[in-house]
Amino acid sequence: MSANLNQTNIEIDDPNFQQAFSQLQGNILKGHGRDHSRHVFFSFVGDSTANRQWLAQISNQVTSTLEQQNQQQRFKEKNEIHLFTNLMLSCHGYKQLGIEQEKWPSDKAFQAGMKDLTTPFDTLPRGDHNPTANPLNDDLEQWENGFLRQIDGMVLLALGGIDSAQAEQQLEQEVQKLQASMAGVAEVVFVQKGHVMRNDKQQVIEHFGFVDGVSNPKFLFSELNEEFKNGGYSRNDPSAPLNTVMVPDPGGNADSFGTYVVYRKLQQNIKGFWDRLDILANTLSENSPTNVDAEYAGALCVGRFKDGTPISEQGNDGWSNLFNNFNYDDDADGLKCPFHSHARKTNPRGDTVRQFNSPPTIERSRRIVRRGISFGSTDLAPNKEWTDAGLLFISLQADIVDQFIFMQNTWCNNEGFVRQGTGMDPLVGQAKKGQPPAAQKWPTSWGSPNAEQVDFSFSGFVKTLGGEYFFMPSLQFLRSLS
Ligand code: HEM
């Protein structure tokens, strides 16, 4: 029997999915969990036959979903360390392989590539049509040179479970091996280093210091079960059907699936962010019965406190700070967690149902799988702005236009979402070049309907340095290239 992608809560050993999971790359249904990585961006220089042969050869190194599971087991039982590898191709990469156009993954954004700012995409709720060019409001003048060059693919290498210095050294060797295997076929455009940062509780954090990677769609029953530690799932069901992230691979057989990858290098201005939060906190304190500090103002931006506690749930003791069993039913006017806060913009947890009478399944179908990792310095309190620090944002989805682009364009960048006057996402909203964003409204007192809402403009502390759209194909497709 073949795989049914409408299913939720399956397990990796489900007999109906063994063929599919032996060919599906790892890191899709479940994160690879390693703390150190290298993203090796390459472009082909050989003829299409040589390019195909090289890919078929390195497909032996690519980690499948089943192999990732085996590796995890062997790490638990015997502390065995394994290199994790993903391989992804841009649409230009497909062209360089000489693959016929009918066999290219069909997503419109994938086919256009991220540097194309002229192709219009439909980012209105399904059914309406108003195609927009450059829906992300990207400005290629800000991009690093490497991302402006032709990128045909990327190999993601990751290692963990050992001493950091050792992992870094081994990864360097792996990059060299990979580069040697490419001779005459492809050249490395650049190599991006990534590393996980952790707080004193060993939880993953990003450069502004907030716990990250908490809320993600869950595909496996065992992962959903983990949510019990975080409060259960009676008010928020994180389970998601496989078709949130898996699509048939047009270059494979009936059991071949892949996923679309959005890669964005997002630089974070840590000093600028916290300095502006100080000013926001002072402004709120002047209008509030209680004193507001920068950390509280930060929680109004993110939707969660630094330790992960959702701001709408503060005071609800008893659960871990990674609590995810919440929605905004008791905060329909955004007086606890502002509508503009990053976590609420990117997962409105019912706001679109209340505001637009839109079916809950549509809102849920926008969800993306986040597999990003930090880059740059580990100094979280630098004394200058725009240091080498930020997030290598990686999202996986079945449809780039309907999921990632919709989320960034129609929710984060849209000052009118979820209501007129809400303002942009203060963390990642990108305004059109030359159009300063409007102020957001900030509640001066948590949850009080009569309290004043202060207008204050907060944005511009995350800059896009580049990126690309990729497809992560099945192993069957890669092997068939030889
Ligand atoms: C959640 C930080 C970029 C989508 C979060 C959280 C933090 C965070 C701290 C809350 C913890 C969690 O649930 O994991 C950042 C930073 C970014 C960034 C610092 C840039 C440097 C983006 C972008 C998108 C995005 C570009 C997509 C357009 C999401 C989603 C969630 C989330 C979907 C989960 C919301 C939920 O389900 O409650 N982010 N993020 N993030 N972020 Fe981001």
Side-chain angles (χ1 to χ4, degrees):
M1 206 157 82
S2 66
N4 169 3
L5 299 190
N6 291 321
Q7 276 187 254
T8 48
N9 296 333
I10 54 143
E11 271 315 346
I12 298 235
D13 59 5
D14 185 319
N16 292 329
F17 287 89
Q18 293 312 286
Q19 292 294 334
F21 291 169
S22 66
Q23 322 183 16
L24 180 73
Q25 295 198 37
N27 203 21
I28 299 177
L29 299 184
K30 200 174 169 181
H32 63 64
R34 275 81 163 167
D35 274 9
H36 301 269
S37 68
R38 292 287 183 284
H39 302 152
V40 184
F41 294 88
F42 62 85
S43 67
F44 290 117
V45 292
D47 62 32
S48 61
T49 316
N51 298 346
R52 284 165 174 247
Q53 268 162 6
W54 172 67
L55 274 188
Q57 179 206 323
I58 62 159
S59 70
N60 296 326
Q61 185 187 326
V62 174
T63 317
S64 70
T65 299
L66 289 186
E67 179 57 15
Q68 179 186 345
Q69 182 74 1
N70 288 338
Q71 291 180 353
Q72 197 188 339
Q73 204 61 33
R74 298 207 296 272
F75 176 65
K76 264 194 209 148
E77 285 164 10
K78 304 182 204 152
N79 224 13
E80 268 183 38
I81 303 298
H82 297 269
L83 177 72
F84 180 90
T85 307
N86 271 146
L87 187 143
M88 52 196 88
L89 294 166
S90 69
C91 192
H92 195 266
Y94 272 80
K95 289 179 202 162
Q96 298 300 93
L97 291 169
I99 312 269
E100 321 79 277
Q101 200 162 349
E102 312 83 74
K103 293 216 174 139
W104 295 352
S106 59
D107 186 279
K108 242 184 123 181
F110 167 78
Q111 293 204 352
M114 202 181 274
K115 288 190 273 288
D116 175 346
L117 305 186
T118 56
T119 301
F121 301 107
D122 248 325
T123 49
L124 282 179
R126 288 176 184 129
D128 296 335
H129 297 287
N130 182 18
T132 321
N134 191 12
L136 308 176
N137 294 338
D138 272 347
D139 175 5
L140 298 188
E141 281 176 19
Q142 290 182 353
W143 282 29
E144 289 179 347
N145 281 336
F147 285 105
L148 291 170
R149 291 177 56 195
Q150 195 58 60
I151 293 172
D152 290 336
M154 188 260 265
V155 178
L156 180 155
L157 303 169
L159 267 177
I162 41 172
D163 170 73
S164 292
Q166 213 185 335
E168 290 293 327
Q169 195 192 359
Q170 278 191 28
L171 278 172
E172 281 306 318
Q173 288 166 2
E174 292 296 339
V175 170
Q176 278 166 22
K177 263 185 7 207
L178 181 70
Q179 200 159 3
S181 77
M182 289 178 181
V185 176
E187 65 181 24
V188 171
V189 180
F190 65 97
V191 180
Q192 176 65 57
K193 288 186 189 182
H195 58 88
V196 170
M197 297 190 305
R198 294 182 186 274
N199 63 14
D200 51 11
K201 289 188 182 151
Q202 294 308 305
Q203 293 154 337
V204 178
I205 53 172
E206 50 68 54
H207 271 100
F208 295 141
F210 291 75
V211 171
D212 199 4
V214 182
S215 174
N216 244 337
K218 300 280 191 281
F219 303 101
L220 306 174
F221 185 68
S222 49
E223 287 230 296
L224 181 74
N225 240 354
E226 285 285 299
E227 291 279 312
F228 268 116
K229 290 186 200 146
N230 298 334
Y233 39 82
S234 54
R235 290 164 68 211
N236 175 60
D237 175 8
S239 67
L242 295 170
N243 60 17
T244 307
V245 74
M246 281 168 70
V247 291
D249 180 347
N253 61 25
D255 289 308
S256 307
F257 298 93
T259 191
Y260 289 101
V261 182
V262 173
Y263 187 98
R264 285 171 76 78
K265 182 171 181 182
L266 302 175
Q267 187 182 13
Q268 294 175 247
N269 176 358
I270 307 170
K271 179 168 170 15
F273 179 79
W274 284 101
D275 285 354
R276 186 82 182 141
L277 282 180
D278 276 335
I279 303 175
L280 173 58
N282 287 339
T283 312
L284 291 175
S285 294
E286 281 164 16
N287 295 280
S288 161
T290 49
N291 194 40
V292 175
D293 61 11
E295 294 228 351
Y296 188 84
L300 291 171
C301 282
V302 174
R304 290 183 183 258
F305 287 90
K306 273 174 93 176
D307 76 353
T309 307
I311 189 165
S312 55
E313 300 294 315
Q314 60 170 319
N316 274 357
D317 291 337
W319 297 113
S320 87
N321 57 322
L322 304 186
F323 186 75
N324 201 27
N325 186 20
F326 69 100
N327 57 41
Y328 302 112
D329 288 359
D330 298 331
D331 184 29
D333 290 318
L335 302 173
K336 295 177 176 173
C337 177
F339 288 130
H340 61 246
S341 76
H342 176 61
R344 193 159 182 172
K345 279 270 190 186
T346 54
N347 187 359
R349 300 181 189 230
D351 282 336
T352 68
V353 182
R354 272 185 293 273
Q355 293 292 317
F356 314 119
N357 216 5
S358 162
T361 46
I362 299 275
E363 188 188 282
R364 287 170 64 74
S365 73
R366 306 294 183 192
R367 288 178 296 167
I368 54 173
V369 175
R370 289 177 300 140
R371 298 280 186 252
I373 190 163
S374 291
F375 71 87
S377 157
T378 49
D379 181 359
L380 297 189
N383 55 17
K384 14 187 253 290
E385 298 199 28
W386 295 113
T387 49
D388 175 34
L391 180 69
L392 304 169
F393 174 85
I394 297 179
S395 73
L396 310 181
Q397 50 272 300
D399 190 312
I400 298 175
V401 179
D402 279 349
Q403 291 171 267
F404 169 74
I405 295 184
F406 185 92
M407 186 177 283
Q408 178 77 50
N409 170 269
T410 317
W411 291 351
C412 300
N413 294 356
N414 182 355
E415 297 181 340
F417 181 78
V418 59
R419 286 184 184 171
Q420 279 311 314
T422 293
M424 275 191 344
D425 178 330
L427 227 58
V428 305
Q430 284 202 141
K432 277 202 184 353
K433 202 175 174 182
Q435 284 186 14
Q440 298 98 339
K441 292 213 172 312
W442 304 81
T444 53
S445 180
W446 188 77
S448 325
N450 302 323
E452 202 184 333
Q453 301 250 8
V454 169
D455 285 345
F456 189 93
S457 179
F458 197 107
S459 67
F461 302 105
V462 170
K463 199 196 291 179
T464 306
L465 299 184
E468 190 50 282
Y469 298 129
F470 296 102
F471 188 70
M472 212 144 83
S474 64
L475 292 177
Q476 162 69 24
F477 164 76
L478 292 172
R479 288 180 193 135
S480 74
L481 295 171
S482 64

